[in-house]
């Protein structure tokens, strides 16, 4: 009896959910749905895929669509302890009979997904917790990707760490996770990708207008570029406004 109790306790410990601190590798996946298939793709994720991801050790963090989703795009973020765990999870997921059944049922009238893009990310040392992505689902989100000139990513990080994030907060923006590309990917030494949230698009515009006029921002920007010139390449900022799907995980 005591042995059975001990085994039960050990099993419970071994199957505890992964904590945010244990997540070291993140995967940002973008799916382009075939024309007319977006609704069915959402249904498959809502009814089957998220639960199967969790079953096989993946952590669902957030699911978005662009605010103006003319491109039939779904963007989502998964977390893993490491690349080996990711490989094991995806292998088990693809072999799962429940996934095979859900896939077959959902593609009776044709495949749902036209293309898949995936990049691997690691949190910067100044990033808020990834769990901030599970906050208020009604907010407007923004994904921003900065590309620096060669050798300037460290300077960009320092500017965000020491100045920009606090100034964003000062002007009503909510800082969410900040990422670098994981090792081995093209652009890993020149890319910063991060997320912000706002009450709505109007409040976003007001916040960025106030930020851009703030003398503290001008001073920080100029000081960071006093030696060596511009940090970002020309047209080095890409931005996408996003809204959460109804099935995106919530912290509530």
């Amino acid at each position: 009896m005591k042995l059975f109790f001990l085994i039960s306790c050990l099993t419970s410990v071994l199957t505890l959910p992964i904590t945010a601190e244990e997540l070291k590798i993140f995967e940002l996946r973008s799916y382009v749905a075939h024309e007319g298939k977006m609704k069915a793709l959402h249904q498959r994720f809502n009814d089957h895929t998220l639960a199967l991801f969790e079953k096989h050790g993946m952590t669902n963090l957030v699911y978005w669509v662009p605010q103006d989703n003319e491109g039939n795009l779904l963007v989502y973020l998964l977390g893993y302890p490491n690349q080996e765990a990711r490989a094991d999870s995806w292998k088990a997921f693809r072999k799962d009979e429940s996934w095979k059944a859900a896939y077959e049922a959902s593609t009776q009238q044709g495949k749902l997904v036209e293309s898949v893009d995936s990049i691997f990310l690691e949190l910067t040392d100044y990033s808020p917790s990834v769990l901030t992505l599970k906050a208020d689902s009604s907010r407007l989100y923004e994904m921003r990707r900065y590309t620096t000139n060669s050798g300037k990513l460290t300077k960009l990080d320092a500017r965000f760490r020491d100045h920009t994030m606090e100034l964003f907060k000062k002007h009503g923006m909510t800082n969410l996770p900040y990422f670098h590309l994981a090792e081995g990917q093209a652009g890993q030494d020149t890319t910063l990708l991060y997320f912000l949230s706002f009450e709505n698009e109007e409040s976003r515009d007001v916040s960025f207008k106030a930020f851009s006029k703030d003398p503290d921002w001008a001073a920080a920007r100029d000081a960071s570029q006093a030696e060596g010139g511009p940090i970002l390449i020309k047209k080095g900022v890409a931005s996408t406004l996003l809204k959460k799907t109804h099935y995106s995980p919530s912290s509530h």
Side-chain angles (χ1 to χ4, degrees):
M1 186 69 177
K2 289 182 178 180
L3 179 60
F4 176 78
F5 177 75
L6 179 60
I7 292 173
S8 297
C9 290
L10 287 172
T11 301
S12 297
V13 171
L14 291 173
T15 56
L16 285 174
I18 294 171
T19 65
E21 291 73 22
E22 293 175 284
L23 299 176
K24 303 299 182 183
I25 290 292
F26 303 88
E27 185 176 9
L28 187 69
R29 295 175 64 85
S30 302
Y31 288 13
V32 176
H34 283 290
E35 194 64 37
K37 299 294 186 179
M38 199 71 200
K39 183 177 179 180
L41 182 61
H42 284 312
Q43 184 174 348
R44 190 169 73 191
F45 269 90
N46 181 68
D47 296 348
H48 305 285
T49 312
L50 269 76
L52 288 168
F53 281 171
E54 291 286 347
K55 173 183 175 181
H56 293 294
M58 309 182 211
T59 299
N60 294 296
L61 290 167
V62 64
Y63 287 75
W64 286 299
V65 292
Q67 182 175 239
D68 182 10
N69 198 12
E70 295 180 354
N72 295 321
L73 185 65
L74 172 66
V75 180
Y76 66 97
L77 187 70
L78 299 174
Y80 316 93
N82 50 55
Q83 285 284 9
E84 292 75 16
R86 177 201 178 270
D88 290 344
S89 291
W90 277 97
K91 184 177 181 180
F93 168 78
R94 292 187 176 108
K95 289 183 176 180
D96 193 306
E97 294 300 324
S98 296
W99 163 244
K100 292 179 181 179
Y103 179 84
E104 290 297 327
S106 66
T107 56
Q108 291 294 312
Q109 304 301 319
K111 291 184 178 181
L112 306 186
V113 178
E114 180 179 335
S115 64
V116 177
D117 182 62
S118 172
I119 59 173
F120 295 102
L121 306 167
E122 296 176 347
L123 288 171
T124 67
D125 61 13
Y126 51 88
S127 176
S129 167
V130 290
L131 296 184
T132 57
L133 290 168
K134 293 189 175 185
D136 191 354
S137 295
S138 66
R139 291 175 70 82
L140 176 70
Y141 292 80
E142 184 171 5
M143 176 171 62
R144 295 175 66 85
R145 181 168 180 158
Y146 287 13
T147 303
T148 71
N149 284 301
S150 180
K152 298 296 180 68
L153 183 58
T154 301
K155 282 193 171 185
L156 182 63
D157 284 331
R159 192 168 75 192
F160 269 90
R161 185 188 299 110
D162 299 339
H163 304 285
T164 311
M165 291 179 71
E166 281 301 315
L167 290 169
F168 280 172
K169 183 179 178 181
K170 172 183 175 181
H171 293 293
M173 309 183 210
T174 299
N175 290 292
L176 298 172
Y178 285 69
F179 297 100
H180 291 148
L181 296 183
E183 186 176 354
Q185 295 180 101
Q188 72 175 79
D189 296 324
T190 57
T191 303
L192 174 68
L193 188 147
Y194 67 97
F195 298 90
L196 301 171
S197 75
F198 311 87
E199 184 178 351
N200 51 46
E201 191 168 359
E202 181 181 0
S203 69
R204 174 201 177 272
D205 294 344
V206 169
S207 291
F208 265 112
K209 184 176 181 180
F211 167 79
S212 66
K213 292 182 176 181
D214 192 316
D216 290 338
W217 159 241
R221 179 197 60 213
D222 293 346
S224 68
Q225 300 183 141
E227 295 183 10
I231 289 177
L232 299 181
I233 65 171
K234 290 184 178 180
K235 298 183 179 180
V237 178
S239 169
T240 305
L241 298 181
L242 303 161
K243 296 291 287 185
K244 284 188 177 181
T245 67
H246 69 278
Y247 52 83
S248 187
S250 172
S251 57
H252 302 297

